[in-house]
Structure formats: structure tokens, C-alpha cells
Amino acid sequence: GAVVSQHPSWVICKSGTSVKIECRSLDFQATTMFWYRQFPKQSLMLMATSNEGSKATYEQGVEKDKFLINHASLTLSTLTVTSAHPEDSSFYICSARAPGLGIHNEQFFGPGTRLTVL
Amino acid sequence: QKEVEQNSGPLSVPEGAIASLNCTYSDRGSQSFFWYRQYSGKSPELIMSIYSNGDKEDGRFTAQLNKASQYVSLLIRDSQPSDSATYLCAVGGGKLIFGQGTELSVKP
């Protein structure tokens, strides 16, 4: 149980284009989903927290107009990187959480999406 | 600024030895503590969670928590080459704050 998927697993795009990444909870309803970004040899940095049906809460320094997050249902959240540039190239990872799931309300991570912007 | 600190390593241990990974955190009000394993190019995988002071054992893994010292550790007994990965300490309830990770290398 507690499986989270992401699609696509990797994507290459041209500078200036937009890319959408999907995060799905496959066997549970995720009341909260998180989006992280990880650069090489660095730790996970939380970008935003999204709750189903409400606007995402972005961390300081994350541009909400550039990284659009939609959490339209209890099993799907999307991250759209708008007007992507090479510096946006990174490993994007989502996680999901649900009340009563797990022992300590832990987050379950998706497999990640590697974005390369040329 | 809430912080989680780990030794970046790399930590190298021979196969069969005990690997000890340490983590300190700054927010004294933290309630939940997690250890994640991350293989290169993959996303983190939860291996241990701990909530109360003391030890929690799961197979070859033991998590230790000392809230008074704001310290959490992970012991890996009988280390195997397959344990070679980066281990991330994460602290929090609503949001997780991750340490920078400790790279573990288990040599055959």
C-alpha cells in the first residue's frame, strides 16, 4: 500500500516551453501532497504543499507563477514548470500523505521526474 | 530557521560492520523523525520512523532518539554493499525538513 506514481519519469524540453508533471496516489486518498526539488549532490528542498481543493502554499523563494501547482482531486496533483530555463533542470519529487496512513503520519514519495531544459 | 544537520560523509565501513549515522535538529518542538534511504538517481525510500525517546529496531536497522539532546541516529548492523546509498534524516510533522544526507559506502 501507499504507492505514489509520477509521470513522466524524465523529460527533456527546450528553453521557454512549459512542462507538466503528474503525481498520483494509487491506493489511497492523499489529503496533502508535497513537491520537492533536488539538485545534484544536494538534499531535498520543499517547494510547496498542496491540499486538495485549495491553493498551494509555496516555500519562501519559490515563484508561484513559475511553478503552478494544482491539486484537483484526492489522488492527483500536478506541477507545471512554466517558461522553463536551463536552471530549472532538476529532479522533481512529489510525496503524499493521508490521515491515519502510516505510523507517524509519514510522507510517501513518488519515483521522481528528471527535467532537463536545453 | 529550522535546521537538520548531518555529516555529509562519505562514511565508509567494511561489509558486516555496524554503520552509525547521526543527525541533530534545531526545533525542540519536533515530534516526528524519519530516516530515508536514497539510491543515486532514485527518490527517497522510508526505512525508519521514530516518535518517542529511546530505541526502535526493525531488522538490521535501529533508530535512536534523544529529544533532550535533539539528536537522532540510525544504526545499520551487518552492513551490506546493497546498503550503500545516501541516508537522509527528516524531522517534522506537517512539513519535513531534510538534512543534507550522509553518503554511506559499504566495502565488500
Side-chain angles (χ1 to χ4, degrees):
Chain A
V3 179
V4 178
S5 70
Q6 277 184 248
H7 178 79
S9 55
W10 59 270
V11 57
I12 301 173
C13 69
K14 294 182 178 180
S15 184
T17 61
S18 294
V19 175
K20 179 184 283 188
I21 302 170
E22 292 186 349
C23 176
R24 293 181 184 272
S25 56
L26 298 185
D27 53 1
F28 67 100
Q29 293 185 323
T31 50
T32 306
M33 288 185 169
F34 303 86
W35 286 95
Y36 295 85
R37 180 168 55 179
Q38 186 177 37
F39 293 107
K41 298 294 185 182
Q42 296 187 23
S43 191
L44 276 73
M45 295 301 296
L46 179 65
M47 299 176 66
T49 302
S50 75
N51 293 293
E52 185 265 341
S54 60
K55 290 184 178 180
T57 301
Y58 291 81
E59 295 299 301
Q60 190 173 6
V62 177
E63 301 175 57
K64 62 180 181 180
D65 294 331
K66 180 170 181 65
F67 299 99
L68 302 179
I69 293 172
N70 183 284
H71 191 165
S73 77
L74 285 172
T75 60
L76 174 65
S77 176
T78 60
L79 167 67
T80 301
V81 184
T82 63
S83 186
H85 291 285
E87 58 266 30
D88 297 323
S89 298
S90 188
F91 193 39
Y92 291 86
I93 310 171
C94 74
S95 70
R97 188 179 70 195
L101 186 65
I103 300 173
H104 295 146
N105 202 28
E106 51 262 45
Q107 296 178 23
F108 296 90
F109 284 83
T113 296
R114 190 162 301 281
L115 170 62
T116 301
V117 184
L118 302 177
Chain B
Q1 179 78 9
K2 299 176 183 178
E3 294 182 346
V4 178
E5 298 287 339
Q6 295 180 252
N7 291 327
S8 59
L11 172 65
S12 182
V13 300
E15 184 175 356
I18 296 175
S20 178
L21 305 163
N22 304 314
C23 172
T24 58
Y25 59 94
S26 63
D27 183 8
R28 187 171 287 278
S30 299
Q31 295 295 321
S32 299
F33 307 87
F34 306 92
W35 283 99
Y36 287 87
R37 176 175 62 198
Q38 187 176 27
Y39 292 113
S40 181
K42 303 294 185 182
S43 70
E45 171 192 12
L46 180 68
I47 54 173
M48 288 289 285
S49 61
I50 188 167
Y51 185 80
S52 303
N53 277 329
D55 295 359
K56 178 182 178 182
E57 186 175 317
D58 184 359
R60 296 186 295 114
F61 299 98
T62 298
Q64 300 174 317
L65 174 62
N66 184 326
K67 289 185 179 181
S69 300
Q70 295 174 245
Y71 174 92
V72 59
S73 66
L74 178 70
L75 300 177
I76 305 175
R77 291 182 299 281
D78 188 24
S79 295
Q80 301 297 309
S82 59
D83 295 327
S84 298
T86 296
Y87 288 80
L88 299 167
C89 172
V91 176
K95 295 192 302 187
L96 288 181
I97 306 298
F98 282 85
Q100 67 269 40
T102 298
E103 184 181 348
L104 172 66
S105 177
V106 181
K107 303 295 186 183

